[in-house]
Amino acid sequence: MSESLAVTGTTKKERYESLLPQIKALVEGESDPIANLSNIMAALKYGMDFFWVGVYLAGAKQLILGPFQGPVACTRIAFGKGVCGACWEQKQTIIVEDVDKFPGHIACSSLSKSEIVLPAFDKDGNVTLVLDVDSEHLASFDETDKTYLQQVIELIEGFTPALPKTEGN
Ligand code: SME
């Protein structure tokens, strides 16, 4: 594993394409899911210059904060609540251009203005975690983010069966 990432490109697409193989290389040969999630969050934060990026792990009725990079965040989110809870309930990616216009948005930081949340699934179709990325700017996320972050989700789905069961009840 190299010590640091070298992300090239000026467009978002170019940066994702430069970063993704490096993220894959980071997790190759490591089976521990928390170690891998931690490195992936750091790679995304510093590779893409995100304001906040992290995962919330699905328990019985709540999401619990997992590995992340950025300002401190709320630790528990109920099923269906906020963008993360809605993503869990709807089992689909949600892009929010203006968090103030999303009913029930949970503001962990008043600086956060837009976000994207993607679900990861187990083999039975249950949500195991959600990946949340926040921006300090309005409308930062689009189909390009969805496409490339979905590739990160697929990588994560490869090792999430080994996740310890989170309390989350
Ligand atoms: N905004 C999210 C909560 C998580 S933080 O942004 C890190 C939500 O509404 O679910």
Side-chain angles (χ1 to χ4, degrees):
M1 190 195 101
S2 75
E3 206 171 287
S4 60
L5 302 168
V7 180
T8 56
T10 47
T11 68
K12 186 154 71 174
K13 184 173 186 289
E14 286 167 347
R15 292 186 71 81
Y16 275 121
E17 286 185 352
S18 163
L19 180 60
L20 270 164
Q22 298 182 69
I23 290 183
K24 284 183 186 148
L26 263 180
V27 304
E28 256 168 28
E30 175 53 67
S31 58
D32 187 275
I34 298 296
N36 282 338
L37 286 171
S38 301
N39 259 343
I40 292 173
M41 298 312 125
L44 286 171
K45 162 86 178 155
Y46 292 99
M48 298 305 294
D49 198 23
F50 290 142
F51 172 67
W52 192 95
V53 54
V55 292
Y56 280 90
L57 309 177
K61 294 178 188 159
Q62 292 180 76
L63 296 167
I64 297 199
L65 183 62
F68 74 96
Q69 292 276 322
V72 293
C74 39
T75 53
R76 290 171 186 256
I77 298 174
F79 184 73
K81 300 293 179 193
V83 186
C84 293
C87 171
W88 183 15
E89 184 174 36
Q90 294 169 22
K91 295 188 166 190
Q92 61 186 18
T93 297
I94 300 179
I95 295 174
V96 180
E97 295 196 340
D98 180 351
V99 296
D100 288 337
K101 294 192 179 138
F102 188 94
H105 167 257
I106 299 164
C108 291
S109 164
S110 57
L111 294 174
S112 178
K113 298 276 185 286
S114 61
E115 66 181 275
I116 180 170
V117 185
L118 304 93
F121 299 97
D122 65 16
K123 61 174 179 22
D124 300 318
N126 301 307
V127 173
T128 53
L129 59 79
V130 300
L131 171 64
D132 180 8
V133 188
D134 290 11
S135 166
E136 288 172 282
H137 307 287
L138 289 168
S140 285
F141 304 107
D142 53 25
E143 289 299 313
T144 300
D145 298 281
K146 185 175 173 181
T147 299
Y148 288 101
L149 291 173
Q150 182 57 36
Q151 292 183 32
V152 175
I153 286 288
E154 282 157 25
L155 190 64
I156 289 173
E157 286 172 342
F159 59 75
T160 27
L163 263 179
K165 196 72 204 135
T166 193
E167 180 195 341
N169 48 19

